[in-house]
């Protein structure tokens, strides 16, 4: 299994929207590296759901339920489907991530504009720990 981080603007589609909808497609990615990350995601992979822009926090964990397929708005790009798995008991803010020595090398910090980034298993477990959440 691989781990990922998916960024979204809460005003466009929030964690609460996903929980309400029970699943959704993840589209609109227009960066080649992020697209390659979407293509690398497999059914069952887990990802953090991160509100960017205003909130800057991880709120929950999602699971990939359908691998990459042509984006409905532009078939040169891809989208995939996800479902919510679990809300974090405590949201993990960007500041908390930046202040944790074990997370200093996270791709989201090194490539801050990337909307889909890989997460190491140790980083995934550390964020769950900070968020007081067990899987």
């Amino acid at each position: 299994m691989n781990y990922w981080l998916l960024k979204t603007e809460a005003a466009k589609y929030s964690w609460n929207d996903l929980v309400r909808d029970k699943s959704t497609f993840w589209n609109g990615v227009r960066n080649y590296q992020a697209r390659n990350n979407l293509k690398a995601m497999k059914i069952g992979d887990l990802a953090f759901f991160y509100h960017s822009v205003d909130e800057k926090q991880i709120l929950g964990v999602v699971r990939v339920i359908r691998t990459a397929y042509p984006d409905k708005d532009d078939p040169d790009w891809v989208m995939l489907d996800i479902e919510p798995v679990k809300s974090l008991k405590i949201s993990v803010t960007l500041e908390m991530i930046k202040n944790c020595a074990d997370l200093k090398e996270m791709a989201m910090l090194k490539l801050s504009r990337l909307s889909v980034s890989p997460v190491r298993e140790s980083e995934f477990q550390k964020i769950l720990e900070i968020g007081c959440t067990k899987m």
Side-chain angles (χ1 to χ4, degrees):
M1 176 183 316
N2 293 307
Y3 302 95
W4 308 90
L5 182 129
L6 301 172
K7 291 182 181 180
T8 185
E9 294 178 36
K12 290 185 179 180
Y13 196 81
S14 72
W15 173 251
N16 289 335
D17 293 330
L18 178 59
V19 170
R20 178 197 66 226
D21 296 345
K22 303 204 180 348
S23 69
T24 194
F25 54 86
W26 198 265
N27 75 332
V29 172
R30 298 297 183 263
N31 171 287
Y32 290 106
Q33 188 171 359
R35 178 186 67 181
N36 291 342
N37 289 338
L38 285 177
K39 286 181 174 182
M41 296 170 87
K42 305 292 182 211
I43 291 176
D45 280 359
L46 298 177
F48 286 121
F49 194 99
Y50 179 86
H51 282 182
S52 61
V53 186
D54 295 329
E55 296 181 24
K56 298 182 182 167
Q57 62 184 345
I58 296 171
L59 293 128
V61 177
V62 302
R63 178 182 300 114
V64 175
I65 58 172
R66 182 178 177 192
T67 56
Y69 56 99
D71 188 304
K72 64 183 181 67
D73 296 327
D74 184 343
D76 290 335
W77 296 91
V78 297
M79 56 196 273
L80 52 76
D81 295 352
I82 59 170
E83 66 182 2
V85 174
K86 189 171 236 185
S87 295
L88 297 186
K89 288 185 180 176
I90 298 170
S91 7
V92 177
T93 66
L94 178 59
E95 186 172 333
M96 294 163 97
I97 293 168
K98 285 180 176 180
N99 290 328
C100 180
D102 293 335
L103 301 175
K104 293 280 188 206
E105 298 300 314
M106 274 192 79
M108 74 169 294
L109 298 177
K110 303 269 183 200
L111 305 164
S112 62
R113 297 192 49 95
L114 197 60
S115 62
V116 180
S117 59
V119 175
R120 293 181 187 98
E121 184 174 5
S122 61
E123 295 165 340
F124 191 84
Q125 296 303 327
K126 186 64 178 182
I127 289 172
L128 289 176
E129 178 185 319
I130 294 168
C132 298
T133 304
K134 294 187 185 223
M135 293 295 294

